[in-house]
Amino acid sequence: MTTDELLSIEPQELQFPFELKKQISCSLLLLNKSDNYVAFKVKTTNPKKYCVRPNTGVVLPRSTCDVIVTMQAQKEMPLDMQCKDKFLLQSVITSPGATAKDITPEMFNKEAGHEVEECKLRESEEGSSPRASVSDNGNYSVSEQSAVSRSHVQRPQPEENSYEAKALISKLTEEKNSAIQQNKQLQQELELLRHHSSRSRVGIPFL
């Protein structure tokens, strides 16, 4: 995405080759193709993790500005090596001759009637990332549904279910056959007992 009327960004994708306990920087080039002075502001969903210099500034007409985004040294590997963090570039036309000292938060307030252009920076294609959204009040937040999508619940595969079902059926069949065989043996023993009992009562008068 680029804000063609005011600023364009190169590259449009932030990449941080992850290394434990090491700061990693990524450079952004902001290009002002208009004849206006353009003020900008860079937001991130994780300001404690990233350092953006400068995070606000003014790009002169037909000129460029370099922005360095630095990821602080991390003590642990990210879960599944997937980055949840997002970045947003806001830009607005400002008065001629304006400098970074003239930038105020009110300049980027849409509710105040200012025409603010916004550009969301894409991330690397490696691994899926949760969606991010910008609320009406300008706060940048990651969608809550990403927390649910990242819950790691190991579910048995269909092949495993089929194998377990066949094993269970085979076991039940064996138990059933064994029970039938035992039942037959009991019936034979019962017949023998009845036969011996009837022979032992031969010749004994019934009173």
Side-chain angles (χ1 to χ4, degrees), residues 16-148:
F16 296 95
F18 187 84
E19 292 185 38
L20 281 176
K21 300 179 181 179
K22 183 178 180 180
Q23 286 188 349
I24 306 170
S25 297
C26 180
S27 178
L28 294 175
L29 178 65
L30 307 184
L31 173 61
N32 181 2
K33 297 180 180 180
S34 71
D35 295 321
N36 301 304
Y37 280 71
V38 178
F40 71 88
K41 183 176 183 179
V42 180
K43 288 185 176 182
T44 176
T45 55
N46 197 341
K48 294 182 179 180
K49 183 177 179 181
Y50 299 93
C51 176
V52 183
R53 290 291 180 270
N55 64 335
T56 60
V58 176
V59 185
L60 302 181
R62 306 294 176 178
S63 61
T64 61
C65 177
D66 289 319
V67 175
I68 305 298
V69 181
T70 303
M71 183 175 70
Q72 304 299 326
Q74 302 298 301
K75 297 180 180 179
E76 298 178 354
M77 297 286 286
L79 187 62
D80 291 343
M81 293 300 291
Q82 294 179 340
C83 183
K84 302 179 182 181
D85 307 317
K86 296 290 184 178
F87 296 86
L88 178 73
L89 174 71
Q90 294 180 306
S91 56
V92 63
I93 296 176
T94 185
S95 59
T99 64
K101 296 180 180 180
D102 300 319
I103 296 177
T104 63
E106 184 67 19
M107 295 172 62
F108 303 95
N109 187 356
K110 291 182 178 180
E111 297 180 355
H114 297 150
E115 295 184 3
V116 181
E117 292 187 0
E118 296 178 337
C119 177
K120 299 176 183 178
L121 300 184
R122 294 200 306 265
E123 296 185 1
S124 174
E125 297 293 336
E126 299 177 359
S128 59
S129 301
R131 295 180 180 178
S133 61
V134 182
S135 60
D136 293 337
N137 59 8
N139 292 332
Y140 199 51
S141 60
V142 176
S143 173
E144 293 180 357
Q145 71 179 22
S146 62
V148 178

